[in-house]
């Protein structure tokens, strides 16, 4: 598996990272512990993944606990970069809201270290910008945690370049985590060039656009329980057919030009756009097999232009992923 250094931290990680939001169950219709543990262990042992992304809010501690358990039981802690997050609190009835205040961060780090069964978090990322706390103040607390040996590298997620400029006045920054996939390309105009210019690694989330780019979603797929795709604007009756038509054409291109699946094309494309890591959400071992198809080839400029033409034809006005943004204050 290809690897990349995370900013200037000296940490190296595989360019495909395992995303564990769905493994936490919340907003993904539940989770199966046995499958979750096997997915985490097999991603590392059999598919060369050395970065696992999680967050306290994923299942309100559940995802971090499962990551900690899988790595401890498998004796795998030293093989991976654990990337978790900080700065989302939640109400008693489990409604998340943003809070990157120093007090909240000091509490969260201890909770995350305990759940992850580790003494150090490799990459600690602020989950969403919190307008109530000056960004430099948040950065300064994270810098302290680094000095104390509780974290190794610092990242932010869902920040604009201006917000990152403010953050960097208070401390160092190695990585940014924005949404990025073939259907969600807003960062091409600002965050991605900013990352390149400032030596940041971009951990791109939703690399499969919540499964849409897996090539397996059909028009009649039904989602269970609290699955966020019930409310995802791209998965609605009036929009899904356009996205699926694009996926169909991309499938043809991937097969004809590269002999690959559309899923492999989607992930490879993310890796060929800059200093990126593609975060790939999986919760069953069967979903990992396709990871072996990502290395050893590239999406060339001609193919990129054909992809752009396909997207323009079917989705002239792409829908933003902003429906996922949590509120600034507790409701
Ligand atoms: N920082 C942030 O604000 C933020 C926001 C979102 C995500 N993230 C991170 O990024 C990670 C990845 O994003 P994501 O999980 O939202 O979405 P994603 O990676 O775009 O899609 C994940 C979903 O795709 C489907 N899938 C995966 N592999 C497949 C395969 N081989 N064949 C068919 N379907 C497959 C699965 O859905 P089913 O299991 O339902 O089939 C899976 O849950 C997250 O887990 C999280 O770590 C961060």
């Amino acid at each position: 598996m290809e690897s990349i250094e995370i900013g200037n931290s000296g940490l190296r990680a595989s360019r495909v990272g395992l995303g564990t939001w769905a493994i936490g169950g919340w907003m993904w219709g539940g989770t199966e512990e046995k499958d979750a543990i096997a997915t985490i262990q097999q991603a590392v042992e059999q598919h060369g993944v050395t970065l696992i992304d999680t967050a306290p809010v994923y299942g309100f501690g559940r995802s971090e606990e499962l990551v900690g358990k899988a790595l401890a039981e498998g004796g795998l802690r030293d093989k991976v970069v654990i990337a978790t997050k900080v700065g989302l609190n939640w109400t008693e009835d489990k409604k998340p809201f943003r809070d990157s205040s120093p007090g909240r961060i000091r509490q969260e780090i201890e909770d995350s270290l305990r759940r992850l069964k580790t003494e150090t978090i490799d990459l600690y990322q602020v989950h969403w910008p919190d307008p109530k706390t000056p960004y430099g103040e948040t950065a300064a607390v994270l810098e302290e945690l680094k000095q104390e040996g509780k974290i190794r590298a610092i990242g932010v997620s869902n920040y604009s370049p201006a917000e990152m400029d403010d953050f960097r006045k208070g401390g160092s920054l190695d990585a940014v985590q924005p949404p990025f996939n073939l259907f969600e390309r807003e960062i091409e105009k600002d965050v991605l060039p900013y990352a390149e210019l400032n030596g940041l690694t971009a951990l791109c989330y939703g690399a499969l656009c919540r499964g849409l780019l897996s090539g397996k979603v059909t028009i009649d797929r039904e989602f269970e329980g609290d699955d966020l795709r019930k409310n995802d604007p791209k998965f609605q009756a009036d929009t899904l057919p356009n996205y699926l038509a694009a996926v169909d054409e991309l499938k043809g291109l991937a097969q004809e030009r590269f002999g690959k699946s559309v899923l492999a094309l989607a992930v490879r494309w993310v890796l060929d756009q800059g200093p990126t890591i593609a975060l790939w959400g999986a919760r069953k071992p069967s979903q990992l097999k396709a990871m072996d198809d990502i290395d050893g080839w590239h999406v060339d400029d001609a193919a990129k232009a054909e992809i752009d033409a396909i997207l323009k034809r079917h989705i002239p006005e792409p829908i933003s992923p902003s429906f996922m943004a949590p509120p600034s204050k507790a409701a």
Side-chain angles (χ1 to χ4, degrees):
M1 175 81 80
E2 270 169 58
S3 67
I4 188 169
E5 184 178 350
I6 297 181
N8 279 321
S9 67
L11 292 172
R12 274 199 93 76
S14 55
R15 293 198 70 198
V16 173
L18 179 69
T20 62
W21 183 8
I23 273 174
W26 168 71
M27 290 186 82
W28 288 86
T31 187
E32 285 291 332
E33 174 160 340
K34 212 165 128 259
D35 283 345
I37 300 269
T39 303
I40 295 162
Q41 292 178 342
Q42 288 182 28
V44 180
E45 288 173 329
Q46 297 175 23
H47 302 281
V49 167
T50 64
L51 182 136
I52 300 187
D53 184 74
T54 181
V57 77
Y58 297 164
F60 308 100
R62 189 81 183 116
S63 172
E64 284 191 335
E65 276 167 8
L66 289 169
V67 170
K69 186 170 180 187
L71 296 180
E73 286 179 359
L76 299 170
R77 170 63 188 100
D78 294 341
K79 293 206 162 103
V80 302
V81 167
I82 296 180
T84 192
K85 309 191 189 81
V86 65
L88 283 186
N89 201 341
W90 51 87
T91 59
E92 261 176 35
D93 57 347
K94 301 198 166 149
K95 300 259 184 339
F97 63 95
R98 306 179 197 198
D99 183 355
S100 300
S101 59
R104 174 69 187 162
I105 291 176
R106 283 280 170 192
Q107 180 196 326
E108 277 199 66
I109 181 78
E110 301 306 328
D111 291 344
S112 290
L113 289 169
R114 189 188 65 251
R115 291 186 202 113
L116 289 162
K117 300 186 197 303
T118 186
E119 286 175 3
T120 315
I121 285 160
D122 300 302
L123 175 62
Y124 208 37
Q125 308 157 101
V126 185
H127 208 148
W128 282 86
D130 168 17
K132 301 184 301 308
T133 307
Y135 302 134
E137 224 172 82
T138 299
V141 183
L142 296 183
E143 203 58 46
E144 284 170 22
L145 294 180
K146 201 161 127 184
Q147 302 306 326
E148 292 164 22
K150 292 188 172 176
I151 64 174
R152 292 201 172 100
I154 296 171
V156 292
S157 182
N158 301 299
Y159 273 53
S160 69
E163 289 165 337
M164 286 189 268
D165 273 343
D166 267 2
F167 184 94
R168 289 165 71 222
K169 287 175 193 152
S172 60
L173 188 62
D174 295 295
V176 58
Q177 184 174 139
F180 191 45
N181 61 61
L182 279 169
F183 292 147
E184 294 168 341
R185 297 173 56 171
E186 288 167 31
I187 67 159
E188 284 177 346
K189 64 179 187 312
D190 52 12
V191 173
L192 199 52
Y194 183 93
E196 283 205 79
L197 191 68
N198 293 288
L200 310 179
T201 303
L203 279 72
C204 302
Y205 73 72
L208 310 180
C209 202
R210 296 167 294 289
L212 201 45
L213 284 161
S214 70
K216 308 272 171 60
V217 173
T218 53
I219 195 79
D220 49 8
R221 165 127 186 221
E222 287 188 8
F223 296 103
E224 306 289 324
D226 67 349
D227 198 306
L228 79 162
R229 290 167 291 188
K230 286 180 172 172
N231 299 316
D232 187 330
K234 293 189 188 62
F235 285 78
Q236 306 307 310
D238 55 339
T239 46
L240 188 58
N242 299 333
Y243 282 94
L244 291 182
V247 171
D248 258 353
E249 267 206 62
L250 292 169
K251 249 183 212 175
L253 183 147
Q255 191 54 48
E256 278 160 32
R257 297 287 295 264
F258 304 108
K260 301 285 183 191
S261 66
V262 62
L263 188 158
L265 179 78
V267 175
R268 187 67 249 175
W269 180 89
V270 169
L271 301 186
D272 288 336
Q273 299 301 110
T276 55
I277 287 175
L279 294 180
W280 175 328
R283 53 176 156 186
K284 292 181 275 195
S286 59
Q287 292 173 333
L288 301 174
K289 198 173 174 307
M291 285 187 177
D292 303 340
D293 251 358
I294 309 302
D295 260 12
W297 61 290
H298 292 283
V299 182
D300 54 71
D301 288 346
K304 283 183 187 172
E306 281 180 52
I307 289 170
D308 290 351
I310 291 171
L311 295 177
K312 208 166 175 191
R313 207 160 42 248
H314 292 286
I315 312 157
E317 289 178 37
I319 303 171
S320 127
S322 57
F323 76 101
M324 288 188 280
S328 300
K329 289 191 200 144

